[in-house]
Amino acid sequence: MKKKLTQECGVCFPLLFAYVVTAALMTGCATTPTPEPQAQGTAFYPPLPNPPRIQHLKTITGERDLGAPVSGIAKFVLGDEAKTQQLQQPYGVGVYAGKLYVVDSRAGGLAVFDLVQQRFELLNGAPNGRMKRPINITIDSDGTKYVTDTGRDQILVFDRGDRYVDAYGEPNQFKPVATAISGDRLYVTDIQHHEVHVLEKHTGKLLFKFGSAGSKLGELFHPTNIAIGADGDVYVVETSNFRVQRFTADGKPIRIYGDFGNERGNFTRPKGIALDRNGRMYVGDSAFENVQIFDGEGRLLLFFGQPGGNVEGLNLPVGISIDYENVRYFQADADPHFNIEYLIFVVSQFGLNKVDVFGYGKMSGMDYASDEAAAKKSMTKPVAKSAP
């Protein structure tokens, strides 16, 4: 029997209390001073006067956030509504070659924000690749895009130029939510059959699959988002098991991260996941309405974002993407003294904010020297269970 969530309102308060503890992991402080109020647009995590690691940079809700003219295709698809076109119910997000791709389930297409040309375009895949209810997107290194569509129960493939190429998935094969790429393999979460399908990415041919319904190690229950580590390990978010499970590339279970609960390091409704180059794991929780950051052992390092209508507020966050290649387009949005190493895109399904852009980095002139030493001393107990 699954544990039932009986209270969502206020579920994040224990984490907010825990923030005082976890902030020390990134700042080198034994205790965290009461932060001074932060001006709109300058939200830092941990908050000033601590040396911050993350800054909220920008919110993108529609084409006006680029200062871009309305495209011809948007006018054709949306008519008069194109004048005020906004993201409606986004989920997945990806970045490639200066373009931000946001999957909008309600609009039935890909919203493309061209950061270079400051243009907006809505792609629906017509005619053969028309989307019904697209959910998520994965972009390969060559620009090939894989879009999961739960209306078609297929994965739609688009080339570097955003042209429809193919559709993977036979009737009743799977209900795909997310994909991840490793070499020539395409990993697909199947929320209906509680499995991960591994396909040959160029053809869609099934290579093998792993997982079955359940809550034991190696079993899955409503797998949603998925990510691949630098070592090839596969991280699967199980929304109805309230955890993240780690597998080898061939589907052998390694360990479980988190459990149901409102304590730090646990989850209530996990959805989005991403891994940075240092193996840190970012997990978004649409009930906590924040993103928790873990190290490879499952220790909670920090969390950022919170519910609310303010500039950094998240509302049912789902998709997360980390990007190292397009920092230059957002550096101007950062504090002049905050040097961004990479970007973190977080998608909210509802509320005022749709795509929030955060920067991970360091503030010039602040002491981060004791950061790692303090983390080793103060590190929380790993929230992970390994395979025997």
Side-chain angles (χ1 to χ4, degrees):
M1 178 72 69
K2 288 287 161 194
K3 301 175 184 176
K4 183 178 180 181
L5 176 63
T6 58
Q7 179 182 4
E8 284 192 16
C9 183
V11 73
C12 59
F13 288 116
L15 273 178
L16 292 174
F17 175 78
Y19 189 82
V20 173
V21 178
T22 57
L25 301 180
M26 303 293 277
T27 63
C29 300
T31 59
T32 304
T34 301
E36 298 178 358
Q38 301 185 73
Q40 187 177 28
T42 57
F44 292 103
Y45 305 89
L48 295 172
N50 302 292
R53 281 295 192 175
I54 294 174
Q55 181 186 355
H56 181 270
L57 303 176
K58 188 181 183 71
T59 294
I60 298 175
T61 60
E63 58 185 319
R64 287 184 177 178
D65 294 306
L66 292 178
V70 181
S71 68
I73 191 170
K75 290 179 181 178
F76 176 75
V77 173
L78 300 167
D80 292 338
E81 294 180 4
K83 296 178 182 179
T84 57
Q85 169 67 356
Q86 301 286 308
L87 292 170
Q88 298 178 47
Q89 192 175 355
Y91 192 109
V93 61
V95 192
Y96 182 79
K99 290 184 179 181
L100 178 69
Y101 293 82
V102 183
V103 182
D104 195 325
S105 301
R106 186 172 295 169
L110 286 178
V112 185
F113 297 87
D114 190 324
L115 305 175
V116 182
Q117 301 295 328
Q118 292 189 316
R119 294 177 181 172
F120 171 87
E121 187 174 10
L122 180 67
L123 304 176
N124 62 12
N128 296 331
R130 185 178 293 276
M131 304 175 207
K132 291 185 177 180
R133 186 169 175 77
I135 296 292
N136 228 320
I137 185 171
T138 299
I139 307 177
D140 204 353
S141 58
D142 64 355
T144 302
K145 300 159 192 75
Y146 299 87
V147 178
T148 53
D149 192 314
T150 56
R152 295 181 52 145
D153 289 344
Q154 289 183 315
I155 301 160
L156 305 180
V157 185
F158 298 85
D159 66 13
R160 180 187 178 96
D162 301 333
R163 294 175 292 267
Y164 171 73
V165 175
D166 204 351
Y168 298 162
E170 301 299 326
N172 303 316
Q173 180 179 352
F174 47 47
K175 184 171 285 293
V177 175
T179 59
I181 297 170
S182 179
D184 290 329
R185 292 177 173 181
L186 182 69
Y187 291 78
V188 184
T189 54
D190 180 356
I191 194 171
Q192 182 175 353
H193 301 101
H194 313 288
E195 298 173 328
V196 173
H197 297 242
V198 184
L199 311 182
E200 203 288 318
K201 73 176 183 180
H202 297 295
T203 65
K205 177 184 176 182
L206 177 65
L207 301 175
F208 63 93
K209 52 186 178 179
F210 59 88
S212 61
S215 57
K216 297 178 181 178
L217 186 69
E219 296 177 336
L220 301 169
F221 198 57
H222 290 147
T224 50
N225 289 7
I226 187 169
I228 307 270
D231 57 2
D233 285 351
V234 183
Y235 296 72
V236 182
V237 177
E238 301 176 66
T239 298
S240 295
N241 267 338
F242 319 105
R243 67 191 189 186
V244 175
Q245 191 164 180
R246 183 176 177 179
F247 298 85
T248 66
D250 294 325
K252 180 181 178 180
I254 299 174
R255 63 174 30 176
I256 292 168
Y257 301 92
D259 199 351
F260 177 84
N262 57 12
E263 299 293 331
R264 64 183 185 272
N266 286 330
F267 306 109
T268 299
R269 197 185 298 158
K271 290 285 185 70
I273 186 170
L275 295 164
D276 67 21
R277 290 175 178 173
N278 292 311
R280 289 182 288 257
M281 179 173 66
Y282 293 68
V283 183
D285 194 304
S286 59
F288 290 155
E289 299 191 310
N290 68 4
V291 177
Q292 299 186 76
I293 309 175
F294 301 84
D295 72 357
E297 298 301 315
R299 300 182 179 95
L300 178 64
L301 301 175
L302 185 67
F303 58 84
F304 63 93
Q306 62 273 322
N310 52 18
V311 67
E312 71 278 12
L314 303 178
N315 196 320
L316 295 182
V318 280
I320 303 174
S321 182
I322 289 177
D323 174 63
Y324 288 82
E325 307 302 325
N326 298 279
V327 170
R328 60 188 180 278
Y329 300 115
F330 295 94
Q331 185 64 63
D333 297 303
D335 182 283
H337 304 290
F338 189 74
N339 301 304
I340 304 172
E341 297 176 27
Y342 56 85
L343 302 169
I344 309 160
F345 296 90
V346 182
V347 177
S348 292
Q349 285 190 295
F350 299 101
L352 298 176
N353 296 6
K354 299 302 185 185
V355 180
D356 283 286
V357 188
F358 297 85
Y360 182 96
K362 292 183 179 180
M363 187 77 78
S364 298
M366 300 193 81
D367 182 18
Y368 291 86
S370 59
D371 196 9
E372 285 74 17
K376 290 178 181 179
K377 284 178 134 186
S378 308
M379 196 72 77
T380 58
K381 184 179 179 180
V383 189
K385 291 172 279 187
S386 300

